């Protein structure tokens, strides 16, 4: 059972150490960069929970709500179309201008920023450069694209790598999968823990790999 929210992020000790150090800093904009399934989404929620509550206790009420996407002062933004557009960027700006409902500060987590359109990046830039007091931006991207160059320069960047097969296997076993199925799924997922979770539950995977 997790005792700290950082337990949500297996195999990313260096990134977690950097996030721990940043939690008490004056920085308000953060960019988490790494391949799909590396754990940056869970890291973003863990970091957001610490920022709004001041605690890394995974058993706390705030941590539980953040993990489920239900805490009012942690706002997660997912693109609706092929890319984050100007209209969605405007919604992010409006959300950042409102005061927290419960905590002393709020966190806005924006997923898949590498798919952001130029118009959206331009709209967000000033807000990220000069965020409202008490607001933290946590941006997630698979890679740094040319569109993101200026935004990247305004953020504290935390790099995540692909997970080792051993880390993925251990996590699947911890979640209740058999070791053989876990090892098979880890190899097929190529460092993507989310994909490995799906494959570990796929009874036809072994037959397809044998074929």
């Amino acid at each position: 059972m997790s005792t700290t929210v950082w337990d949500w992020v297996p195999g990313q000790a260096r990134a977690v150490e950097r996030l721990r150090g940043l939690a008490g800093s004056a920085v308000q904009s953060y960019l988490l960069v790494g391949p799909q399934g590396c754990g940056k989404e869970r890291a973003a929620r863990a970091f957001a929970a610490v920022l709004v509550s001041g605690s890394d206790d995974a058993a706390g009420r705030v941590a539980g709500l953040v993990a489920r996407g239900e805490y009012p002062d942690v706002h997660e933004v997912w693109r609706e179309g092929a890319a984050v557009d100007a209209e969605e960027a405007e919604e992010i700006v409006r959300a950042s201008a409102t005061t927290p409902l419960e905590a002393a500060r709020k966190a806005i987590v924006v997923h898949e920023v590498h798919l952001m359109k130029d118009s959206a990046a331009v709209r967000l830039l000033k807000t990220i450069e000069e965020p409202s007091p008490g607001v933290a931006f946590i941006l997630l991207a698979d890679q740094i694209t040319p569109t993101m160059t200026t935004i990247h320069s305004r953020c504290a960047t935390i790099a995540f790598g692909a997970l080792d097969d051993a880390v993925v296997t251990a996590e699947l076993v911890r979640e209740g999968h058999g070791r053989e199925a876990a090892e098979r799924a880890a190899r097929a997922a190529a460092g993507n823990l989310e994909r490995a979770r799906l494959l570990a539950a796929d009874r036809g995977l072994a037959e397809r790999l044998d074929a």
Side-chain angles (χ1 to χ4, degrees), residues 61 65-66 69-75 99-103 106-107:
R61 169 181 169 273
L65 290 172
V66 172
E70 298 174 357
Y71 190 68
D73 292 323
V74 175
H75 183 65
T99 56
L101 295 175
E102 183 176 320
K106 68 189 298 183

Side-chain angles (χ1 to χ4, degrees), residues 124-138:
L124 276 180
L125 181 58
K126 184 172 178 57
T127 302
I128 290 173
E129 285 181 324
E130 301 175 4
S132 301
V135 174
F137 282 97
I138 305 174

Side-chain angles (χ1 to χ4, degrees), residues 12 38-39 58 74 76 86 93 150 168 183 186-187:
Q12 298 289 0
C38 67
V74 175
E76 293 198 45
V93 171
T150 307
V168 175
E183 290 176 345
R187 288 194 300 270

Side-chain angles (χ1 to χ4, degrees), residues 17-27 30 47 51 156-158:
E17 181 180 3
R18 178 143 166 75
L19 287 170
R20 283 180 182 271
L22 286 168
S25 73
V27 178
Y30 311 86
F47 189 47
L51 290 180
T157 301
I158 302 90

Side-chain angles (χ1 to χ4, degrees), residues 31-41 78-79 110-116 139-145 148 158-162 192:
L31 177 61
L32 281 55
V33 182
Q36 288 186 0
C38 67
K40 64 182 182 293
E41 289 80 9
W78 300 83
R79 63 184 172 86
V110 185
H111 295 266
E112 299 182 304
V113 177
H114 59 285
L115 297 177
M116 182 175 291
L139 312 179
L140 281 66
D142 290 359
Q143 57 190 325
I144 297 173
T145 63
M148 294 172 52
I158 302 90
F160 290 73
N192 186 329

